[in-house]
Amino acid sequence: GQNIDQPTEMTATEGAIVQINCTYQTSGFNGLFWYQQHAGEAPTFLSYNVLDGLEEKGRFSSFLSRSKGYSYLLLKELQMKDSASYLCAVKGTTASKLTFGTGTRLQVTL
Amino acid sequence: NAGVTQTPKFRILKIGQSMTLQCTQDMNHNYMYWYRQDPGMGLKLIYYSVGAGITDKGEVPNGYNVSRSTTEDFPLRLELAAPSQTSVYFCASSSVGTGGDEQYFGPGTRLTVT
């Protein structure tokens, strides 16, 4: 089975940098996704890591260490619109199925 | 492309009633999924399909049924609705072989069973 842990809530200031951590224990691993979900909306894809290291995409970066079962999402130059839940999801080895963590609700304040 | 569409957006059911949640995608994706999301919880996989005519159970399949007669459509059937099925239901699709195989989600159906 899969077990995925991430903090429940975080608060950060507009313009700052925030790091959202995700740890996982899995019986099969074929990549890790980060999704963003605004309240009342569907999740939208942010990033994907399958190899160790950092993937950068504009203000968002994601890091993976497979040996440690650890990933983080880094958000730079925070904006108010970044207030949302961030979901960590591990892809298994069957049918690209995803197992999601419970999500981290990020609140960006002035 | 409309992407993944779901109907209805909202529905209130009485205990014991049945209904079908519709999901359609126009991206020619072979894989499709149904999730439920309860408040403060992550998405839980109900059923998935790797192609027309092929479906399989996910983590929480009890009380639900699915079918996949075409590539585009993947309806979810609730029989004998129970209060425990009050949730937000998301349908998603993905195409194997496009790198990360990211899943694209529909807007969701908010279901209340009373």
Side-chain angles (χ1 to χ4, degrees):
Chain A
Q2 318 271 32
N3 187 42
I4 300 171
D5 288 313
Q6 46 181 136
T8 304
E9 291 186 359
M10 299 182 72
T11 302
T13 306
E14 190 179 36
I17 299 172
V18 70
Q19 178 174 311
I20 302 173
N21 296 324
C22 172
T23 57
Y24 63 89
Q25 295 155 329
T26 65
S27 56
F29 179 85
N30 207 12
L32 188 142
F33 288 84
W34 285 95
Y35 280 82
Q36 182 189 58
Q37 186 178 25
H38 285 101
E41 297 183 9
T44 54
F45 168 74
L46 283 179
S47 70
Y48 171 68
N49 295 69
V50 66
L51 299 176
D52 291 353
L54 189 69
E55 294 278 343
E56 296 187 78
K57 228 191 231 188
R59 295 189 298 115
F60 292 10
S61 304
S62 56
F63 172 82
L64 176 66
S65 168
R66 289 172 297 171
S67 62
K68 293 188 167 76
Y70 168 69
S71 174
Y72 68 73
L73 180 69
L74 193 71
L75 291 75
K76 302 175 189 172
E77 299 168 16
L78 279 172
Q79 302 174 10
M80 297 300 288
K81 68 178 181 179
D82 297 328
S83 293
S85 288
Y86 291 85
L87 312 178
C88 172
V90 169
K91 184 167 85 166
T93 53
T94 305
S96 297
K97 289 191 293 180
L98 296 181
T99 301
F100 283 84
T102 53
T104 298
R105 191 165 65 185
L106 174 67
Q107 184 173 359
V108 180
T109 61
L110 292 172
Chain B
N1 283 353
V4 181
T5 57
Q6 292 182 238
T7 56
K9 286 188 169 50
F10 302 93
R11 183 73 186 267
I12 299 174
L13 277 183
K14 293 191 184 307
I15 294 171
Q17 288 184 322
S18 301
M19 76 166 293
T20 299
L21 282 67
Q22 302 291 345
C23 175
T24 300
Q25 53 93 8
D26 63 0
M27 298 174 282
N28 202 33
H29 285 171
N30 43 358
Y31 287 10
M32 295 187 75
Y33 312 84
W34 273 106
Y35 295 92
R36 60 176 287 171
Q37 186 175 37
D38 300 323
M41 303 294 287
L43 292 140
K44 301 286 186 187
L45 182 65
I46 305 171
Y47 270 95
Y48 66 98
S49 169
V50 300
I54 306 169
T55 63
D56 208 346
K57 295 177 181 178
E59 187 182 354
V60 290
N62 290 346
Y64 307 94
N65 272 302
V66 293
S67 60
R68 184 101 182 266
S69 56
T70 66
T71 299
E72 296 78 20
D73 300 306
F74 190 40
L76 177 73
R77 178 86 179 157
L78 278 73
E79 305 282 1
L80 299 174
S84 60
Q85 293 179 304
T86 294
S87 190
V88 180
Y89 291 84
F90 289 103
C91 178
S93 70
S94 70
S95 180
V96 179
T98 57
D101 307 342
E102 63 262 30
Q103 293 183 16
Y104 295 82
F105 286 81
T109 294
R110 283 148 185 79
L111 176 68
T112 301
V113 182
T114 63

